[in-house]
Amino acid sequence: MDSETNKKQIVLSLVQPTGTPTLGNYLGAFKNWAKMAEDYDCLFGAADLHSITVRTEPKDLKSRTIEIYAILLALGLSPEKNTIFVQSQVPQHSQLAWILNCYTQFGEAARMTQFKDKAKKYADNVNVGLFSYPTLMAADILIYQSDFVPVGEDQKQHLELARDIATRMNHFYGNLFTVPAPFIGKAGAKVMSLQDPTKKMSKSDPNTKSFISMLDSPDVMVKKIKSAVTDSEGRVYYGENKPGINNLMSIYSACTSKSYEEIEQEFEGKGYGDFKAAVAEAVVEELKPFRAEFDRIINDRQYILSSMALGAEKAAARAERTLSKV
Ligand code: TYM
């Protein structure tokens, strides 16, 4: 709550509807979204325009957008109390993005590590959209005068660019935008791959054993965690050269709220088998209520579509205010 105006502070964050979200998306972002939904004026949604920066089948994009929207509802986010929307249904985002492009230096955009990584990964389709991806993301954030943006560690650089663009335009034209602050949780901010714990857990990894999908069955989750790559030391503690164990400890900590010290004590004298079993159980328990809600909501297409329409209407009315000012 802003003490001077008594108004709730504004929170915005989006997720791309490419593939079913992972435990990384959940711990790095969604878990914080659900926590913030009560105390802040929150806008959350599906960034489908960002997803077309890589080749996508229109049919898949549509069904994934519906799935991700149902996931947001199943997290307990309320389309009435908050604003839950699909980016492409609010055209003001793209309109503002064009203007922001004209206040973003080529060199700034070229420094983005995600662009460099994706340009390598999708070398046959390094399109201009992929390059200006962060200015659309800045538009998503700035158009609602957002105070906080809850994201995982990997989005921090994009957020810094959004802050730089906002500060620059405010300097030229007076107070156009609130300069947003990142909100990055301690545990779970960067969940790593279960098969190569030096790489981020990603839903587009071709090795499906490397990530836990939020819609995996409990059995599959347990199997994947049990086959996670660790080390040969056999002692559970957070330390250098233990990326696999560090990752599992971060996951366990995010699910149970236990500190690393508490976890080290809990597993003193025990092996990785016991530890992995406990991590798997914690993950399954953590996602259980979500899963029950999702199974209910995904079958209620009418509710999903009417919530989307409500979200688009609420979001567009707010977005229009900033756009006309700009
Ligand atoms: P996306 O769709 O890749 O991921 C959605 C959210 O999940 C977080 N995340 C992770 N956190 C921890 N560990 C991981 N392994 C992991 N993988 C993903 C991301 O940090 C993100 O918070 N560009 C954004 C979507 C976006 C956006 C925005 C976000 C578009 N416009 C405006 C915030 C504000 C993206 O691709 O996230």
Side-chain angles (χ1 to χ4, degrees):
M1 193 80 78
D2 188 315
S3 55
E4 276 175 28
T5 61
N6 256 0
K7 264 173 79 180
K8 282 184 173 178
Q9 288 178 300
I10 299 170
V11 166
L12 170 127
S13 205
L14 305 184
V15 52
Q16 285 194 65
T18 39
T20 303
T22 66
L23 184 65
N25 297 120
Y26 176 78
L27 295 178
F30 300 162
K31 196 171 152 87
N32 291 324
W33 299 8
K35 271 195 213 144
M36 294 173 108
E38 283 299 313
D39 301 328
Y40 295 87
D41 174 6
C42 291
L43 298 114
F44 297 121
D48 55 343
L49 294 174
H50 278 110
S51 293
I52 59 171
T53 54
V54 300
R55 286 276 169 266
T56 320
E57 274 295 320
K59 240 180 42 220
D60 289 349
L61 182 62
K62 195 170 170 197
S63 63
R64 294 222 150 107
T65 303
I66 288 177
E67 181 188 271
I68 200 91
Y69 196 91
I71 286 176
L72 300 185
L73 297 178
L75 289 164
L77 302 172
S78 156
E80 278 86 28
K81 277 198 232 149
N82 302 127
T83 301
I84 319 290
F85 68 100
V86 175
Q87 186 189 38
S88 66
Q89 295 179 354
V90 186
Q92 287 86 349
H93 289 233
S94 321
Q95 290 173 274
L96 180 61
W98 172 254
I99 299 173
L100 302 189
N101 273 333
C102 302
Y103 292 86
T104 307
Q105 297 306 301
F106 187 91
E108 285 179 301
R111 274 199 295 277
M112 296 293 114
T113 55
Q114 185 178 292
F115 170 69
K116 289 191 239 174
D117 292 346
K118 287 201 174 169
K120 254 189 240 151
K121 192 166 167 195
Y122 305 102
D124 58 341
N125 183 25
V126 187
N127 59 77
V128 178
L130 193 63
F131 186 69
S132 68
Y133 178 114
T135 55
L136 177 59
M137 181 162 158
D140 300 337
I141 297 166
L142 302 181
I143 207 160
Y144 299 109
Q145 307 292 342
S146 310
D147 294 291
F148 297 109
V149 185
V151 283
E153 193 79 46
D154 62 313
Q155 294 299 319
K156 205 170 155 199
Q157 195 186 29
H158 288 158
L159 214 67
E160 271 158 18
L161 181 63
R163 287 169 57 89
D164 290 345
I165 300 170
T167 307
R168 180 173 306 148
M169 290 184 73
N170 285 349
H171 174 74
F172 288 142
Y173 305 115
N175 264 349
L176 285 178
F177 301 119
T178 300
V179 180
F183 181 95
I184 300 176
K186 257 187 257 139
K190 191 165 187 194
V191 178
M192 309 306 276
S193 154
L194 297 176
Q195 292 300 313
D196 177 357
T198 61
K199 268 182 17 197
K200 169 180 99 161
M201 180 181 283
S202 161
K203 53 195 170 222
S204 61
D205 196 316
N207 181 356
T208 56
K209 276 167 77 182
S210 72
F211 60 83
I212 291 185
S213 151
M214 284 177 73
L215 298 177
D216 277 343
S217 69
D219 284 358
V220 170
M221 289 184 188
V222 171
K223 260 196 214 130
K224 286 181 177 176
I225 291 175
K226 287 199 170 159
S227 64
V229 168
T230 50
D231 53 70
S232 54
E233 193 185 354
R235 213 158 62 77
V236 178
Y237 69 97
Y238 200 95
E240 255 178 70
N241 304 322
K242 291 179 79 73
I245 290 296
N246 293 349
N247 188 36
L248 293 177
M249 283 181 71
S250 167
I251 293 172
Y252 191 59
S253 169
C255 292
T256 60
S257 305
K258 290 178 187 168
S259 68
Y260 289 157
E261 266 175 23
E262 287 170 316
I263 300 170
E264 285 166 11
Q265 277 166 13
E266 185 178 347
F267 294 97
E268 210 177 293
K270 294 187 184 155
Y272 291 165
D274 289 339
F275 178 51
K276 283 178 168 178
V279 176
E281 193 188 326
V283 169
V284 168
E285 280 307 309
E286 174 75 26
L287 289 171
K288 212 185 233 169
F290 155 77
R291 186 55 201 259
E293 266 303 272
F294 177 81
D295 288 344
R296 188 179 66 77
I297 290 169
I298 197 67
N299 291 312
D300 192 350
R301 188 118 170 164
Q302 200 41 48
Y303 174 62
I304 298 173
L305 295 180
S306 63
S307 301
M308 265 185 193
L310 174 67
E313 191 188 318
K314 283 165 68 175
R318 297 174 66 161
E320 188 54 40
R321 272 185 258 155
T322 300
L323 185 65
S324 58
K325 189 163 137 194
V326 173

